[in-house]
Amino acid sequence: MKTIVFLLFLCWSVVNIFAQDQLIYVTGSMNSWAEADDGWKLTPTGENNMYRLEKTLAAGDYEYQLINGTWGDGSIVSEGTHKISLSEEK
């Protein structure tokens, strides 16, 4: 198992689109692409425009996106699907 930390910095152009209290979720192959899953919600760090989520995952390959709730127009915070590979510790 590996601990992974998702850190998100919202640049000024995105901040103008999303409210400061915007809910942002990680959705992907690790959680069956679930929408608005509170277990995968990024939380504000207290620093301007920074969000954080820490999870422990098994070794493997994962795909994910950042969304602001449910799938639909304007719901995707990050463009495209991101990939991450976690290997076993040696």
Side-chain angles (χ1 to χ4, degrees):
M1 302 292 271
K2 294 267 187 163
T3 299
I4 182 168
V5 176
F6 293 92
L7 283 176
L8 173 65
F9 173 74
L10 296 180
C11 65
W12 183 252
S13 61
V14 175
V15 171
N16 288 334
I17 296 169
F18 296 108
Q20 286 286 60
D21 60 352
Q22 178 70 48
L23 300 177
I24 301 173
Y25 301 88
V26 176
T27 184
S29 56
M30 69 287 264
N31 66 353
S32 301
W33 297 95
E35 299 177 341
D37 181 345
D38 282 339
W40 288 88
K41 180 171 55 176
L42 286 104
T43 56
T45 64
E47 297 180 39
N48 286 341
N49 311 329
M50 291 290 295
Y51 292 79
R52 184 178 196 276
L53 172 67
E54 184 173 321
K55 297 300 269 186
T56 301
L57 300 172
D61 297 324
Y62 300 95
E63 293 183 335
Y64 69 94
Q65 283 190 321
L66 302 173
I67 64 171
N68 65 357
T70 59
W71 293 105
D73 293 336
S75 66
I76 297 175
V77 177
S78 60
E79 290 294 324
T81 301
H82 306 285
K83 297 180 181 184
I84 188 167
S85 293
L86 303 175
S87 60
E88 291 290 336
E89 291 187 39
K90 296 181 181 186

